[in-house]
Amino acid sequence: MVIILGIDPGSRITGYGVIEWVNRKARYIDSGCIRMDVKATTGNRLKTIFEGLDQLIGLYKPDQLSIEQVFIHKNPQSALKLGQARGVVLCAAALAGLEIHEYSATRIKQTVVGNGHATKDQVQHMVEHLLKLNGRPQADAADALAAALTHGFHLPLVGVK
């Protein structure tokens, strides 16, 4: 059994998803979003991400963290803010001793939907279907759950069942 915390980092909304992976099957535990005050300073937004992630790690005691890799934005400011959010997530996970795994957005969509260029709506639909949820998760939470599922599907490649 492995508990995987998936993260979709963002400077305004950071999505999270927690699944348990047992015998090559996923069981949904929780998902949601860490929301930042849009009027807060960058430092306070990053603090919100860190504290929220720290709470999630304390609550669910995940074994591993799965996060989307950085991709190049057209807007350098957006890329910088995303990089800062990712850095805080990676630091919090490392401080907690979590094993960290990174996947490209294309790999996550390919794994969960079967199409590396899938839409957010398609990702939400497949996450709902794969985890047998009673409704569609919010887009950022669905992306985080998709990251967690991607890692789960790749576990046999790293020797975990």
Side-chain angles (χ1 to χ4, degrees), residues 36-99:
M36 274 52 78
D37 177 354
V38 293
K39 295 178 184 173
T41 64
T42 300
N44 283 329
R45 286 184 190 196
L46 296 175
K47 179 178 178 254
T48 299
I49 295 169
F50 185 89
E51 290 173 345
L53 192 58
D54 191 52
Q55 277 186 329
L56 291 169
I57 291 169
L59 181 62
Y60 295 112
K61 311 260 187 280
D63 304 294
Q64 301 183 15
L65 180 123
S66 179
I67 187 169
E68 188 176 304
Q69 289 175 335
V70 171
F71 60 94
I72 304 302
H73 279 277
K74 292 177 185 169
N75 179 339
Q77 276 298 91
S78 296
L80 180 62
K81 289 177 183 176
L82 177 59
Q84 291 170 332
R86 280 186 87 255
V88 167
V89 169
L90 295 173
C91 183
L95 285 171
L98 299 184
E99 196 175 300

Side-chain angles (χ1 to χ4, degrees), residues 7 14-15 24 26 28 31 33-35 42 45 54 63-64 68 70 82 106 110 116 119 125 137 143 156 158 160:
I7 296 291
T14 291
R24 298 182 185 185
Y28 175 83
S31 63
C33 297
I34 300 168
R35 297 181 186 279
T42 300
R45 286 184 190 196
D54 191 52
D63 304 294
Q64 301 183 15
E68 188 176 304
V70 171
L82 177 59
T106 304
Q110 179 67 42
T119 65
H125 172 76
D143 287 348
V158 293
V160 179

